[in-house]
Amino acid sequence: MFKTENPQVLDDDQEETEIMVANRSKLNLPVMISKSYPSDHNHKHVGPLLLDLAILPLETTTEFVLNQEQRVVYCDAIDSFFKNALNALMLDQPFDFSQVPIVSKIPKSQEREYYLKSDLTASPLFFEKFASRLLFKSITLLPAAVRLFHKNIPNNFKPIFQEVVTKHASKLLIENELNKVQNAEFGERLKVRTVPVTGQIISEYTVEDTKMKLTIELPRDYPLSVPAMNLDKAIVKGDRAKKWLLQLNAYLFHQNGAILEGIEMWKRNVDKGIEGAEDCTICMMTVHQQTNQLPKVKCKQCKNRFHSNCLYKWFESSNQSTCPLCRNNFT
Ligand SMILES: [Zn+2]
Ligand SMILES: [Zn+2]
């Protein structure tokens, strides 16, 4: 009788493993800063200024252009002094961030303009404004680093920090991530839509008549909490689909990149999984209509591939366990 463990399954192709080949010279800035970062307690106030300088190339409006791999390495280099700089900015100040009037009393409609364009030098509250702007930039451009910072700050400061972030940054940040996804093109197979009210990004990947749905939900205090993910149907069953999901999860958790880039990476993996697959020689489809599986069973003799369901039905109807094409025995 036909045994499922006997037939050869698809080889585990090389997955896309975001190879970090970065141009080292682009990293000079954060490395330089980390080397000159003051260890002397009396000069720690220089930290936020250095962080502000290091973040500059991450802003898209500047002439510095880093590709995705370079960004990852660049952000890693900033990590070495990020915590100290943010500590100096937020914890060692004579003012309480949640009490800074300028931060909490900006009309909602002007928040974006305030953080992005306010004329800092003209303000009598220069440092407070500088601090809120640098904090906002850090949250936007280094979400994973800010998440780690929040995890490691003293417990009594955690709710305050969370409130400041949720109140002043999360909404704009979520809106920004959703817009990026909304405006992107993913090609024929992947349709992505967003639900701003719930902060959800719903990606539907279609092969033939089969749909696979991935939902990413951004939490209210994003980026402090990690986005929740749900895959309701995996076209490629088993370990590979799980691996891609874990990879996406790790990306969303550790990388200081956009959600959009995570979805693109996930799509490239699924594309590869589907493209490497051949049609089932019995039903002529790639994805099985009921099981959503790819043709994983391969005949050792004629090398044709079949859905295990299709082959099982063939065995039943023909009353023997032989290949429908070459009659090779499967047992
Ligand atoms: Zn089939
Ligand atoms: Zn055969």
Side-chain angles (χ1 to χ4, degrees):
M1 194 51 221
F2 168 60
K3 293 195 192 87
T4 43
E5 61 266 28
N6 263 350
Q8 299 168 345
V9 292
L10 278 177
D11 299 321
D12 200 5
D13 309 317
Q14 294 86 0
E15 303 295 340
E16 174 165 341
T17 50
E18 307 283 306
I19 304 161
M20 311 300 172
V21 188
N23 180 355
R24 289 272 153 191
S25 66
K26 301 246 182 194
L27 303 176
N28 279 350
L29 186 59
V31 170
M32 215 164 75
I33 290 174
S34 66
K35 278 185 181 152
S36 54
Y37 198 89
S39 50
D40 174 4
H41 191 74
N42 291 325
H43 295 98
K44 66 181 176 183
H45 54 274
V46 182
L49 296 172
L50 292 173
L51 177 61
D52 197 43
L53 180 65
I55 282 182
L56 190 66
L58 296 173
E59 296 179 78
T60 47
T61 46
T62 62
E63 70 270 32
F64 301 95
V65 180
L66 300 173
N67 67 31
Q68 204 178 329
E69 285 80 18
Q70 288 164 344
R71 261 187 79 99
V72 170
V73 184
Y74 191 91
C75 292
D76 277 353
I78 293 182
D79 258 353
S80 64
F81 59 89
F82 183 78
K83 189 183 147 217
N84 287 341
L86 219 57
N87 259 327
L89 181 76
M90 299 211 53
L91 302 182
D92 302 331
Q93 292 313 320
F95 63 92
D96 175 350
F97 245 92
S98 63
Q99 300 304 317
V100 176
I102 214 83
V103 175
S104 52
K105 285 188 183 157
I106 315 156
K108 271 264 173 285
S109 57
Q110 289 167 29
E111 269 179 354
R112 186 191 298 271
E113 283 67 31
Y114 170 77
Y115 285 116
L116 301 179
K117 296 192 183 90
S118 60
D119 181 9
L120 294 172
T121 48
S123 166
L125 288 166
F126 174 80
F127 189 77
E128 281 85 342
K129 281 197 174 186
F130 168 79
S132 9
R133 193 160 107 163
L134 179 55
L135 178 65
F136 184 73
K137 281 200 284 187
S138 305
I139 295 166
T140 314
L141 299 166
L142 297 161
V146 170
R147 184 176 305 132
L148 189 67
F149 172 79
H150 178 240
K151 199 172 156 250
N152 293 320
I153 52 176
N155 277 337
N156 58 345
F157 191 66
K158 266 183 192 163
I160 299 171
F161 186 72
Q162 190 180 25
E163 200 196 317
V164 170
V165 171
T166 309
K167 203 164 165 188
H168 302 291
S170 296
K171 226 183 118 222
L172 280 178
L173 199 53
I174 292 171
E175 191 188 302
N176 193 19
E177 293 287 349
L178 261 48
N179 280 343
K180 269 191 226 166
V181 171
Q182 195 68 65
N183 296 328
E185 262 304 317
F186 298 96
E188 270 295 289
R189 286 176 184 158
L190 188 66
K191 294 275 172 281
V192 182
R193 64 196 164 87
T194 61
V195 188
V197 189
T198 52
Q200 282 176 320
I201 300 169
I202 299 164
S203 312
E204 284 183 320
Y205 193 105
T206 313
V207 200
E208 289 155 4
D209 292 333
T210 312
K211 249 184 204 157
M212 168 161 70
K213 192 164 109 182
L214 171 74
T215 308
I216 299 174
E217 187 174 333
L218 304 186
R220 271 192 67 247
D221 65 351
Y222 184 75
L224 300 187
S225 300
V226 196
M229 287 192 318
N230 177 51
L231 186 69
D232 84 332
K233 204 192 248 180
I235 291 179
V236 183
K237 279 270 159 70
D239 290 347
R240 301 219 303 170
K242 212 182 283 171
K243 194 162 142 194
W244 299 333
L245 212 57
L246 283 175
Q247 204 180 346
L248 175 61
N249 197 38
Y251 175 85
L252 295 180
F253 189 81
H254 296 293
Q255 301 302 359
N256 291 298
I259 306 274
L260 170 64
E261 285 155 10
I263 295 177
E264 284 169 342
M265 178 188 75
W266 178 77
K267 180 191 178 280
R268 285 197 296 274
N269 279 332
V270 180
D271 279 348
K272 270 191 198 171
I274 302 289
E275 275 154 22
E278 292 159 36
D279 293 344
C280 165
T281 319
I282 296 174
C283 71
M284 299 299 168
M285 303 286 275
T286 309
V287 181
H288 191 275
Q289 295 293 288
Q290 279 92 47
T291 64
N292 301 318
Q293 283 184 322
L294 294 177
K296 281 191 286 196
V297 188
K298 187 178 177 182
C299 171
K300 280 176 186 162
Q301 192 169 302
C302 70
K303 313 286 184 215
N304 278 294
R305 286 176 190 274
F306 313 94
H307 295 119
S308 47
N309 262 49
C310 291
L311 198 59
Y312 188 76
K313 273 191 188 146
W314 163 257
F315 291 161
E316 272 191 333
S317 62
S318 67
N319 241 333
Q320 48 193 331
S321 308
T322 57
C323 171
L325 291 139
C326 72
R327 305 286 163 187
N328 171 46
N329 209 318
F330 264 87
T331 46

